[in-house]
Amino acid sequence: MALYTARSMHTASAMNDIPRNNPGLAPPLDLCDPLLASRFDNSFVRELPADPLQHDVPRPVRNACYSRAKPSSVVAPKLLAWADAVGDLLGLVRPESATGLAAQVLGGNHVLPGMQPYAARYGGHQFGNWAGQLGDGRALTLVELIGPDGQRRELQLKGAGRTPYSRRGDGRAVLRSSVREFICSEAMHYLGVPTTRALSLVATGESVERDMFYDGNPEEEPGAIVCRVAPSFVRFGNFEILAANEELVELKRLADYVITTHYPELGPPSADVYARWFEEICRRSAVMVAGWMRVGFVHGVMNTDNMSILGLTMDYGPYGWLEGYDLGWTPNTTDAEGRRYCFGRQPEIAQWNLLRLAGALSPLIPDRADLEVGIDTFGRVYGECSRRVMGDKLGLLDFNAEDDALAEDLIEALHGDETDMTLLFRHLADVPIAAVDDSALVAPLRPAFYGDSDGAHLLAWLHRYVDRLRSDNEAPAARRARMNRTNPKYVARNYLAQLAIDALAAGDSSVITRLLAVLERPYDEQPEHEDLAARRPEWARHKAGCSALSCSS
Ligand code: AMP
Ligand code: MG
């Protein structure tokens, strides 16, 4: 499987970007407007088997897809951020007050009439091992909201208190991890990578105790709650837990629900439809991971409980953005030794996860050959995406067999000296193809080099590259435009998210506001925001949150 990039589909991320059919018929409403209740639905709760018990004491749950659970109230919910574009998708207007009723709802203090909150039951393979029951230990779906485009989307609070799946956790989330989830899920959307979204960020006014470095020194940190938004937050693990406990009636009910609700184009569930559904999940997962590889995103915890059944990037934890191009890089300190979830292994791990899903769905798809078709589809689609996108990243008109070697050799050369992935690809578009002089060739790439590198490690490759470009005979401006649509200028660099967190913790929301606005147009030159496109400053190299992150959140 080719290791390099792939194009995420600007058009195929349709689930995140559905055009409105009849905006006139459904005017935007305030979250707390009683009229909004007519757009609420609770299909997951209505159609799937519930845990008969109704208390939040952690316990194994059986023969159920979810447990009813209420958010626990917090002292002083205050709205810190709101994504207008997500509000538009949902038909919601931005709340006027940061501390009004909307903040009470999004902070978990008030459940609106028509909402039937629940925590989903799921299991998962963590770091390659079956971990048994996990479930929404701190997330709660409040309701499904039908947007002006007719699409159903869950509103899910993350950090809203304990549920039967909380195990030893407190059900809460800290501000830093909530800000990171908010920023990154929105940034991914605008990069054209399929993802869950974020509507709001609410400070709870309470502190949460976390041992960030796992070194026995817990500290009090500000708590927060993100309202996440996606058509569904069902994961591979929701199926795995049912299969592992041989709850086959429930397994079929969940599969039928997901197909009829979220894959209606496949038709009514049947043996054949289950197989085509699995294949489609594999295809979507390939597109998603190819998108990650294109933009330099490392998820950090690709456990099967963090893999969306809709092929969306989800559960933003100790993720990171590649700075120096290094296939072995992982942002997750828990993974520092094994590097199971490092950048270069993401395609392989996604496929491993799909094999676990295949195992869980095998009672519905008994013919092994059908499952193999799906797994093969993953490899084929990932390969096609990678090659097409590497062609676009390099600005080649036709990515032919020989170009494979050109791409592989670039990646090899990048390991020579620390070279910023985002800046390198962005500035490749500026390399003068008429130049034969070494210094002219390398000059546009200088912003990408860390330390005192002069780019010598790339010279031999650059000569081959411009030779190859010349053979295309394409007008430089056209090539540059094409490359700039594939190679983002602005990504949610780890240290930028940390600056936004530090400012917000000090009561300053201007940093996150500016960052979010810039990340809405990641492919555009935004000269007034050039500083946000710069390579990571040296002070951030080993600073907590800027380089490596623990799972503590
Ligand atoms: P994650 O590593 O965030 O994907 O979470 C793995 C599992 O741990 C999921 O079941 C989460 O719901 C649960 N979990 C993580 N943090 C907490 C917490 N603070 N309280 C309760 N459950 C948690
Ligand atoms: Mg998770």
Side-chain angles (χ1 to χ4, degrees):
M1 198 181 298
L3 275 180
Y4 40 81
T5 79
R7 165 180 15 217
S8 84
M9 325 252 147
H10 295 276
T11 47
S13 65
M15 256 178 326
N16 291 326
D17 207 5
I18 301 152
R20 295 187 189 188
N21 299 329
N22 54 358
L25 296 180
L29 293 173
D30 191 275
L31 179 61
C32 303
D33 189 321
L35 289 176
L36 194 70
S38 68
R39 303 181 197 166
F40 286 170
D41 195 13
N42 298 278
S43 68
F44 195 92
V45 167
R46 186 173 61 245
E47 293 181 28
L48 293 169
D51 170 12
L53 300 182
Q54 287 206 29
H55 59 76
D56 63 11
V57 178
R59 59 200 148 84
V61 173
R62 290 279 180 262
N63 299 99
C65 290
Y66 66 91
S67 303
R68 291 179 187 273
K70 286 210 166 55
S72 320
S73 51
V74 296
V75 171
K78 182 176 172 201
L79 193 60
L80 296 180
W82 171 272
D84 283 314
V86 181
D88 286 351
L89 275 181
L90 296 166
L92 294 176
V93 290
R94 176 186 274 261
E96 274 172 21
S97 159
T99 51
L101 192 54
Q104 296 286 336
V105 173
L106 297 168
N109 281 5
H110 184 66
V111 175
L112 293 170
M115 292 179 163
Q116 298 181 25
Y118 68 90
R121 174 179 176 230
Y122 56 80
H125 281 83
Q126 300 191 315
F127 293 92
N129 302 306
W130 175 241
Q133 178 178 293
L134 299 163
D136 284 334
R138 56 172 167 172
L140 278 172
T141 293
L142 288 178
V143 74
E144 299 149 20
L145 179 53
I146 313 296
D149 56 5
Q151 294 294 315
R152 170 189 310 275
R153 294 183 186 83
E154 287 183 30
L155 302 191
Q156 186 177 81
L157 301 185
K158 183 168 175 180
R162 285 162 65 85
T163 78
Y165 308 99
S166 297
R167 296 175 290 158
R168 286 183 302 279
D170 56 7
R172 295 299 185 191
V174 290
L175 179 69
R176 61 183 155 81
S177 67
S178 307
V179 171
R180 284 169 48 82
E181 172 138 19
F182 190 96
I183 291 175
C184 199
S185 56
E186 287 306 282
M188 289 292 262
H189 167 73
Y190 292 105
L191 284 164
V193 181
T195 178
T196 64
R197 307 286 302 267
L199 173 67
S200 61
L201 173 69
V202 167
T204 59
E206 294 180 1
S207 61
V208 179
E209 192 183 84
R210 288 290 182 272
D211 185 358
M212 185 157 114
F213 302 106
Y214 297 132
D215 62 358
N217 291 306
E219 283 185 19
E220 296 289 324
E221 295 189 47
I225 297 176
V226 171
C227 179
R228 311 196 285 192
V229 175
S232 171
F233 285 91
V234 169
R235 306 134 193 273
F236 292 6
N238 297 63
F239 295 92
E240 288 180 279
I241 190 73
L242 299 173
N245 288 307
E246 297 184 13
E247 296 169 19
L248 301 187
V249 173
E250 291 79 6
L251 179 75
K252 182 175 181 314
R253 284 182 66 180
L254 182 61
D256 290 356
Y257 167 79
V258 168
I259 292 169
T260 46
T261 313
H262 299 291
Y263 289 84
E265 65 282 6
L266 295 178
S270 67
D272 175 51
V273 165
Y274 293 136
R276 285 193 286 122
W277 172 53
F278 178 65
E279 191 183 349
E280 176 61 10
I281 298 165
C282 292
R283 191 193 66 76
R284 290 190 190 186
S285 301
V287 170
M288 173 188 79
V289 177
W292 297 356
M293 302 305 283
R294 174 174 65 90
V295 298
F297 173 78
V298 190
H299 183 285
V301 207
M302 290 178 72
N303 294 332
T304 55
D305 50 297
N306 293 335
M307 293 286 292
S308 150
I309 206 73
L310 300 184
L312 306 174
T313 313
M314 76 183 303
D315 273 19
Y316 290 86
Y319 69 80
W321 291 82
L322 220 56
E323 282 157 351
Y325 194 101
D326 176 359
L327 293 171
W329 185 70
T330 173
N332 183 353
T333 51
T334 313
D335 193 30
E337 208 146 302
R339 298 195 181 262
R340 179 181 173 83
Y341 297 142
C342 68
F343 178 61
R345 289 192 70 189
Q346 295 188 120
E348 170 204 340
I349 295 293
Q351 196 171 43
W352 189 92
N353 289 340
L354 285 162
L355 282 165
R356 305 286 80 71
L357 179 65
L361 297 182
S362 60
L364 302 172
I365 310 175
D367 189 344
R368 232 188 122 79
D370 286 333
L371 293 167
E372 279 165 8
V373 168
I375 298 294
D376 290 348
T377 295
F378 175 86
R380 180 177 49 75
V381 172
Y382 181 75
E384 287 166 5
C385 288
S386 299
R387 303 184 85 241
R388 189 174 54 239
V389 167
M390 197 42 139
D392 285 346
K393 283 184 86 67
L394 294 177
L396 308 179
L397 275 182
D398 257 323
F399 194 81
N400 60 46
E402 282 167 34
D403 295 330
D404 259 328
L406 189 71
E408 296 286 358
D409 291 348
L410 170 61
I411 289 163
E412 181 89 349
L414 288 177
H415 281 256
D417 261 320
E418 197 181 7
T419 312
D420 191 271
M421 176 190 178
T422 305
L423 291 168
L424 186 274
F425 279 102
R426 183 75 181 185
H427 288 297
L428 265 188
D430 303 327
V431 168
I433 67 168
V436 282
D437 171 53
D438 285 358
S439 71
L441 266 186
V442 93
L445 305 178
R446 289 209 195 285
F449 303 135
Y450 288 95
D452 49 15
S453 170
D454 59 1
H457 59 299
L458 284 181
L459 267 176
W461 184 85
L462 279 171
H463 280 287
R464 275 169 65 199
Y465 174 58
V466 292
D467 278 350
R468 170 65 184 84
L469 287 181
R470 280 189 211 112
S471 73
D472 272 343
N473 259 330
E474 190 187 14
R479 176 172 51 82
R480 190 170 192 279
R482 231 159 22 83
M483 292 173 79
N484 285 355
R485 285 196 297 272
T486 297
N487 296 319
K489 173 155 180 150
Y490 297 95
V491 296
R493 291 176 180 272
N494 313 314
Y495 84 92
L496 293 175
Q498 189 60 42
L499 290 177
I501 293 163
D502 292 344
L504 214 47
D508 172 9
S509 60
S510 66
V511 180
I512 188 173
T513 306
R514 174 176 173 230
L515 188 57
L516 286 169
V518 170
L519 293 173
E520 280 187 20
R521 298 191 291 128
Y523 300 99
D524 292 357
E525 292 294 330
Q526 301 181 53
E528 67 282 25
H529 298 299
E530 201 67 28
D531 56 315
L532 300 184
R535 62 173 186 264
R536 177 206 60 223
E538 276 310 304
W539 61 257
R541 181 180 289 274
H542 299 298
K543 188 176 182 313
C546 297
S547 51
L549 294 118
S550 74
C551 289
S552 154
S553 59

